[in-house]
Amino acid sequence: MVISLTSPQNITSINLGTSTPKLSGTVDVTSFINLVAFEAYAGSTGNDLEGFVISEANDKLKYVSVLYNKLTGSIIQYMPINVENISIQSNLLDTPITDLSIFTQLQVIATSNNPNMGGNIPTLPSSINVVDFGRSGLTGDIPPLNAYTNLIRLWVYLNPNLTIPSNWTAPVTLKNILFQSCNLETTEVDTILAVINSLGTSNGVLNLGGINATPTGGNSNSDKLALEARGWSVTIS
């Protein structure tokens, strides 16, 4: 697919919306040097884009939403250097992410429902607010997160090969946490509950249900009870 305009430098936003038949092929926005937002998201039926080409010239591009397409490879190739929000859920990503720290303005990243992406939790920039890596084929330890002092949401549900180390940490800002169906053992569930409780925060959401083990004491677990007393919604198996 080719987007051709007389003065592409005048365009700051592109929304490809919905079409019948679905849009397919590759979109190249390298000539749109003042582009700030790009969307190719047409609801849960999506489009069929197989490529999205950017370059260093797209340094003003902050918002990328390409859910429900057929993009492959690594999310990195679809991320302009100054991106703040990228949503690429329900594509065909098949290459792990190793390091996102160069994206120093990144606030939101969402890759859920790319089960062949794989790899470990990548290094994140300190600017990060929202992480959605649900059902992304992730493996290995979830690293200590206390250094990410802007992080408010962590969704890693449906990654049954993730593990929680005994020294796991979280920032006090983190109050929306989805760990359901990660095949966690009792000691790992206990660790998460203890860490989040130790932060002393109120009115959050913590989902440890699905195919995770039950914490020590089940519904009588002391950390679970303490969180609930402070207004947290806590779900366990």
Side-chain angles (χ1 to χ4, degrees), residues 108-150:
V108 177
I109 183 168
T111 69
S112 61
N113 294 315
N114 282 281
N116 295 317
M117 187 177 81
N120 299 326
I121 300 282
T123 303
L124 300 165
S126 60
S127 56
I128 199 71
N129 298 152
V130 173
V131 171
D132 176 4
F133 288 149
R135 194 172 175 263
S136 292
L138 299 179
T139 62
D141 283 352
I142 297 182
L145 300 173
N146 57 300
Y148 299 108
T149 56
N150 294 301

Tab-separated table of all heavy atoms in Angstrom, residues 108-150:
chain	number	residue	atom	x	y	z
A	108	VAL	N	4.190	3.868	27.126
A	108	VAL	CA	3.259	2.747	27.008
A	108	VAL	C	3.756	1.800	25.928
A	108	VAL	O	4.041	2.219	24.797
A	108	VAL	CB	1.840	3.230	26.642
A	108	VAL	CG1	0.897	2.038	26.449
A	108	VAL	CG2	1.308	4.181	27.696
A	109	ILE	N	3.843	0.499	26.276
A	109	ILE	CA	4.147	-0.533	25.285
A	109	ILE	C	3.184	-1.683	25.496
A	109	ILE	O	2.961	-2.136	26.618
A	109	ILE	CB	5.607	-1.001	25.355
A	109	ILE	CG1	5.871	-2.032	24.243
A	109	ILE	CG2	5.979	-1.540	26.733
A	109	ILE	CD1	7.338	-2.349	24.043
A	110	ALA	N	2.574	-2.148	24.396
A	110	ALA	CA	1.609	-3.239	24.473
A	110	ALA	C	1.851	-4.218	23.331
A	110	ALA	O	1.744	-3.856	22.155
A	110	ALA	CB	0.180	-2.700	24.415
A	111	THR	N	2.200	-5.473	23.699
A	111	THR	CA	2.471	-6.511	22.704
A	111	THR	C	1.586	-7.736	22.884
A	111	THR	O	1.848	-8.776	22.276
A	111	THR	CB	3.939	-6.978	22.793
A	111	THR	OG1	4.123	-7.690	24.031
A	111	THR	CG2	4.911	-5.830	22.709
A	112	SER	N	0.561	-7.653	23.708
A	112	SER	CA	-0.209	-8.851	24.044
A	112	SER	C	-0.735	-9.559	22.801
A	112	SER	O	-0.987	-8.956	21.763
A	112	SER	CB	-1.360	-8.496	24.976
A	112	SER	OG	-2.245	-7.578	24.366
A	113	ASN	N	-0.877	-10.891	22.960
A	113	ASN	CA	-1.362	-11.748	21.877
A	113	ASN	C	-0.421	-11.769	20.682
A	113	ASN	O	-0.850	-11.733	19.524
A	113	ASN	CB	-2.788	-11.362	21.465
A	113	ASN	CG	-3.794	-11.623	22.558
A	113	ASN	OD1	-3.782	-12.680	23.191
A	113	ASN	ND2	-4.652	-10.648	22.817
A	114	ASN	N	0.878	-11.817	20.981
A	114	ASN	CA	1.917	-12.145	20.016
A	114	ASN	C	2.691	-13.321	20.605
A	114	ASN	O	3.836	-13.181	21.048
A	114	ASN	CB	2.849	-10.951	19.777
A	114	ASN	CG	2.263	-9.911	18.856
A	114	ASN	OD1	2.254	-10.064	17.636
A	114	ASN	ND2	1.757	-8.833	19.448
A	115	PRO	N	2.083	-14.510	20.628
A	115	PRO	CA	2.653	-15.621	21.396
A	115	PRO	C	3.985	-16.142	20.901
A	115	PRO	O	4.683	-16.855	21.634
A	115	PRO	CB	1.575	-16.707	21.294
A	115	PRO	CG	0.802	-16.371	20.056
A	115	PRO	CD	0.794	-14.871	20.003
A	116	ASN	N	4.379	-15.776	19.683
A	116	ASN	CA	5.663	-16.240	19.155
A	116	ASN	C	6.780	-15.219	19.315
A	116	ASN	O	7.889	-15.426	18.820
A	116	ASN	CB	5.520	-16.608	17.676
A	116	ASN	CG	4.596	-17.795	17.471
A	116	ASN	OD1	4.662	-18.784	18.208
A	116	ASN	ND2	3.711	-17.696	16.484
A	117	MET	N	6.509	-14.120	20.013
A	117	MET	CA	7.549	-13.104	20.223
A	117	MET	C	8.686	-13.668	21.062
A	117	MET	O	9.854	-13.593	20.698
A	117	MET	CB	6.959	-11.860	20.889
A	117	MET	CG	7.930	-10.701	20.993
A	117	MET	SD	7.171	-9.226	21.711
A	117	MET	CE	7.253	-9.602	23.472
A	118	GLY	N	8.368	-14.235	22.215
A	118	GLY	CA	9.354	-14.927	23.036
A	118	GLY	C	10.382	-14.014	23.678
A	118	GLY	O	10.290	-12.791	23.647
A	119	GLY	N	11.367	-14.648	24.300
A	119	GLY	CA	12.445	-13.922	24.960
A	119	GLY	C	12.115	-13.583	26.400
A	119	GLY	O	11.077	-13.955	26.938
A	120	ASN	N	13.045	-12.868	27.037
A	120	ASN	CA	12.882	-12.434	28.421
A	120	ASN	C	12.250	-11.048	28.475
A	120	ASN	O	12.152	-10.347	27.468
A	120	ASN	CB	14.239	-12.402	29.117
A	120	ASN	CG	14.897	-13.762	29.149
A	120	ASN	OD1	14.236	-14.782	29.263
A	120	ASN	ND2	16.221	-13.788	29.046
A	121	ILE	N	11.857	-10.639	29.674
A	121	ILE	CA	11.416	-9.250	29.869
A	121	ILE	C	12.591	-8.338	29.503
A	121	ILE	O	13.691	-8.490	30.033
A	121	ILE	CB	11.009	-8.993	31.327
A	121	ILE	CG1	9.847	-9.906	31.737
A	121	ILE	CG2	10.665	-7.522	31.539
A	121	ILE	CD1	8.494	-9.504	31.247
A	122	PRO	N	12.402	-7.392	28.583
A	122	PRO	CA	13.523	-6.549	28.158
A	122	PRO	C	13.852	-5.458	29.176
A	122	PRO	O	13.051	-5.146	30.062
A	122	PRO	CB	13.017	-5.930	26.860
A	122	PRO	CG	11.533	-5.832	27.064
A	122	PRO	CD	11.159	-7.069	27.855
A	123	THR	N	15.023	-4.876	29.023
A	123	THR	CA	15.355	-3.671	29.774
A	123	THR	C	14.450	-2.541	29.302
A	123	THR	O	14.265	-2.330	28.103
A	123	THR	CB	16.822	-3.271	29.539
A	123	THR	OG1	17.662	-4.373	29.898
A	123	THR	CG2	17.193	-2.053	30.363
A	124	LEU	N	13.865	-1.834	30.260
A	124	LEU	CA	12.903	-0.778	29.946
A	124	LEU	C	13.490	0.598	30.230
A	124	LEU	O	14.396	0.725	31.059
A	124	LEU	CB	11.636	-0.971	30.791
A	124	LEU	CG	10.890	-2.294	30.605
A	124	LEU	CD1	9.897	-2.514	31.738
A	124	LEU	CD2	10.178	-2.315	29.258
A	125	PRO	N	12.977	1.641	29.577
A	125	PRO	CA	13.422	2.997	29.914
A	125	PRO	C	12.777	3.462	31.215
A	125	PRO	O	11.701	2.991	31.594
A	125	PRO	CB	12.933	3.830	28.729
A	125	PRO	CG	11.721	3.106	28.252
A	125	PRO	CD	11.997	1.647	28.470
A	126	SER	N	13.409	4.385	31.883
A	126	SER	CA	12.889	4.872	33.163
A	126	SER	C	11.566	5.613	33.005
A	126	SER	O	10.826	5.788	33.973
A	126	SER	CB	13.909	5.789	33.837
A	126	SER	OG	14.199	6.906	33.011
A	127	SER	N	11.232	6.023	31.786
A	127	SER	CA	9.993	6.766	31.518
A	127	SER	C	8.751	5.881	31.503
A	127	SER	O	7.626	6.392	31.483
A	127	SER	CB	10.101	7.477	30.169
A	127	SER	OG	10.391	6.536	29.135
A	128	ILE	N	8.904	4.567	31.529
A	128	ILE	CA	7.786	3.655	31.277
A	128	ILE	C	6.694	3.763	32.339
A	128	ILE	O	6.965	3.786	33.532
A	128	ILE	CB	8.286	2.206	31.137
A	128	ILE	CG1	7.260	1.328	30.429
A	128	ILE	CG2	8.704	1.630	32.480
A	128	ILE	CD1	7.106	1.604	28.973
A	129	ASN	N	5.438	3.830	31.870
A	129	ASN	CA	4.247	3.859	32.736
A	129	ASN	C	3.451	2.565	32.670
A	129	ASN	O	2.964	2.071	33.686
A	129	ASN	CB	3.294	4.978	32.339
A	129	ASN	CG	3.863	6.360	32.468
A	129	ASN	OD1	3.452	7.256	31.745
A	129	ASN	ND2	4.793	6.591	33.369
A	130	VAL	N	3.262	2.065	31.449
A	130	VAL	CA	2.361	0.943	31.212
A	130	VAL	C	3.065	-0.115	30.375
A	130	VAL	O	3.612	0.180	29.306
A	130	VAL	CB	1.084	1.412	30.477
A	130	VAL	CG1	0.219	0.221	30.069
A	130	VAL	CG2	0.288	2.380	31.351
A	131	VAL	N	3.037	-1.372	30.881
A	131	VAL	CA	3.603	-2.510	30.162
A	131	VAL	C	2.531	-3.576	30.018
A	131	VAL	O	1.960	-4.032	31.013
A	131	VAL	CB	4.816	-3.092	30.915
A	131	VAL	CG1	5.265	-4.410	30.274
A	131	VAL	CG2	5.965	-2.100	30.947
A	132	ASP	N	2.247	-3.962	28.785
A	132	ASP	CA	1.337	-5.072	28.515
A	132	ASP	C	2.080	-6.079	27.643
A	132	ASP	O	2.173	-5.925	26.431
A	132	ASP	CB	0.066	-4.581	27.817
A	132	ASP	CG	-0.873	-5.731	27.426
A	132	ASP	OD1	-0.573	-6.889	27.768
A	132	ASP	OD2	-1.895	-5.455	26.770
A	133	PHE	N	2.607	-7.122	28.303
A	133	PHE	CA	3.279	-8.214	27.613
A	133	PHE	C	2.470	-9.500	27.728
A	133	PHE	O	3.012	-10.599	27.670
A	133	PHE	CB	4.678	-8.439	28.200
A	133	PHE	CG	5.691	-7.377	27.878
A	133	PHE	CD1	6.714	-7.086	28.770
A	133	PHE	CD2	5.658	-6.679	26.681
A	133	PHE	CE1	7.666	-6.124	28.491
A	133	PHE	CE2	6.610	-5.708	26.385
A	133	PHE	CZ	7.618	-5.426	27.286
A	134	GLY	N	1.151	-9.385	27.913
A	134	GLY	CA	0.317	-10.572	28.057
A	134	GLY	C	0.404	-11.477	26.839
A	134	GLY	O	0.427	-11.024	25.697
A	135	ARG	N	0.483	-12.785	27.104
A	135	ARG	CA	0.504	-13.810	26.052
A	135	ARG	C	1.481	-13.449	24.929
A	135	ARG	O	1.143	-13.409	23.756
A	135	ARG	CB	-0.895	-14.029	25.478
A	135	ARG	CG	-1.020	-15.303	24.632
A	135	ARG	CD	-2.454	-15.607	24.243
A	135	ARG	NE	-2.527	-16.753	23.358
A	135	ARG	CZ	-2.604	-16.684	22.021
A	135	ARG	NH1	-2.646	-15.511	21.424
A	135	ARG	NH2	-2.668	-17.787	21.295
A	136	SER	N	2.726	-13.194	25.333
A	136	SER	CA	3.763	-12.838	24.364
A	136	SER	C	4.894	-13.860	24.325
A	136	SER	O	5.967	-13.583	23.790
A	136	SER	CB	4.333	-11.449	24.683
A	136	SER	OG	3.359	-10.441	24.449
A	137	GLY	N	4.665	-15.033	24.902
A	137	GLY	CA	5.670	-16.095	24.848
A	137	GLY	C	6.917	-15.824	25.660
A	137	GLY	O	7.984	-16.359	25.350
A	138	LEU	N	6.807	-15.013	26.705
A	138	LEU	CA	7.980	-14.631	27.488
A	138	LEU	C	8.435	-15.752	28.414
A	138	LEU	O	7.633	-16.577	28.878
A	138	LEU	CB	7.680	-13.376	28.297
A	138	LEU	CG	7.316	-12.135	27.487
A	138	LEU	CD1	7.019	-10.963	28.409
A	138	LEU	CD2	8.419	-11.767	26.504
A	139	THR	N	9.735	-15.765	28.708
A	139	THR	CA	10.326	-16.782	29.568
A	139	THR	C	11.283	-16.132	30.567
A	139	THR	O	11.649	-14.961	30.430
A	139	THR	CB	11.108	-17.819	28.742
A	139	THR	OG1	12.184	-17.157	28.046
A	139	THR	CG2	10.226	-18.509	27.721
A	140	GLY	N	11.676	-16.901	31.576
A	140	GLY	CA	12.706	-16.448	32.517
A	140	GLY	C	12.164	-15.577	33.630
A	140	GLY	O	10.960	-15.352	33.766
A	141	ASP	N	13.101	-15.067	34.431
A	141	ASP	CA	12.743	-14.246	35.585
A	141	ASP	C	12.155	-12.896	35.181
A	141	ASP	O	12.637	-12.254	34.238
A	141	ASP	CB	13.977	-13.961	36.443
A	141	ASP	CG	14.374	-15.147	37.301
A	141	ASP	OD1	13.622	-16.135	37.353
A	141	ASP	OD2	15.452	-15.075	37.926
A	142	ILE	N	11.134	-12.470	35.916
A	142	ILE	CA	10.725	-11.065	35.855
A	142	ILE	C	11.706	-10.303	36.725
A	142	ILE	O	11.843	-10.588	37.913
A	142	ILE	CB	9.287	-10.890	36.366
A	142	ILE	CG1	8.315	-11.649	35.455
A	142	ILE	CG2	8.918	-9.406	36.423
A	142	ILE	CD1	6.869	-11.508	35.838
A	143	PRO	N	12.431	-9.355	36.165
A	143	PRO	CA	13.498	-8.697	36.916
A	143	PRO	C	12.960	-7.782	38.012
A	143	PRO	O	11.780	-7.399	37.983
A	143	PRO	CB	14.226	-7.883	35.847
A	143	PRO	CG	13.162	-7.586	34.831
A	143	PRO	CD	12.289	-8.813	34.802
A	144	PRO	N	13.786	-7.412	38.974
A	144	PRO	CA	13.377	-6.395	39.950
A	144	PRO	C	12.942	-5.122	39.224
A	144	PRO	O	13.589	-4.695	38.261
A	144	PRO	CB	14.651	-6.169	40.765
A	144	PRO	CG	15.413	-7.455	40.633
A	144	PRO	CD	15.136	-7.936	39.238
A	145	LEU	N	11.867	-4.515	39.695
A	145	LEU	CA	11.273	-3.376	38.996
A	145	LEU	C	11.280	-2.088	39.805
A	145	LEU	O	10.743	-1.078	39.354
A	145	LEU	CB	9.822	-3.714	38.609
A	145	LEU	CG	9.625	-4.908	37.688
A	145	LEU	CD1	8.134	-5.222	37.542
A	145	LEU	CD2	10.250	-4.657	36.319
A	146	ASN	N	11.881	-2.101	40.973
A	146	ASN	CA	11.789	-0.931	41.845
A	146	ASN	C	12.421	0.312	41.243
A	146	ASN	O	12.085	1.434	41.634
A	146	ASN	CB	12.412	-1.231	43.215
A	146	ASN	CG	13.854	-1.669	43.107
A	146	ASN	OD1	14.142	-2.682	42.460
A	146	ASN	ND2	14.763	-0.933	43.734
A	147	ALA	N	13.332	0.156	40.278
A	147	ALA	CA	13.972	1.325	39.654
A	147	ALA	C	13.028	2.057	38.695
A	147	ALA	O	13.284	3.223	38.345
A	147	ALA	CB	15.230	0.893	38.897
A	148	TYR	N	11.941	1.402	38.296
A	148	TYR	CA	11.002	2.014	37.348
A	148	TYR	C	9.937	2.782	38.120
A	148	TYR	O	8.810	2.302	38.319
A	148	TYR	CB	10.392	0.945	36.441
A	148	TYR	CG	11.422	0.216	35.620
A	148	TYR	CD1	11.768	-1.106	35.903
A	148	TYR	CD2	12.085	0.858	34.572
A	148	TYR	CE1	12.720	-1.771	35.160
A	148	TYR	CE2	13.044	0.208	33.817
A	148	TYR	CZ	13.363	-1.111	34.117
A	148	TYR	OH	14.318	-1.768	33.380
A	149	THR	N	10.277	3.947	38.534
A	149	THR	CA	9.454	4.706	39.483
A	149	THR	C	8.257	5.396	38.845
A	149	THR	O	7.491	6.076	39.532
A	149	THR	CB	10.317	5.753	40.208
A	149	THR	OG1	10.966	6.591	39.227
A	149	THR	CG2	11.372	5.079	41.066
A	150	ASN	N	8.069	5.222	37.530
A	150	ASN	CA	6.874	5.732	36.858
A	150	ASN	C	5.914	4.614	36.471
A	150	ASN	O	4.847	4.879	35.913
A	150	ASN	CB	7.259	6.522	35.607
A	150	ASN	CG	8.028	7.788	35.928
A	150	ASN	OD1	7.535	8.650	36.641
A	150	ASN	ND2	9.239	7.903	35.419
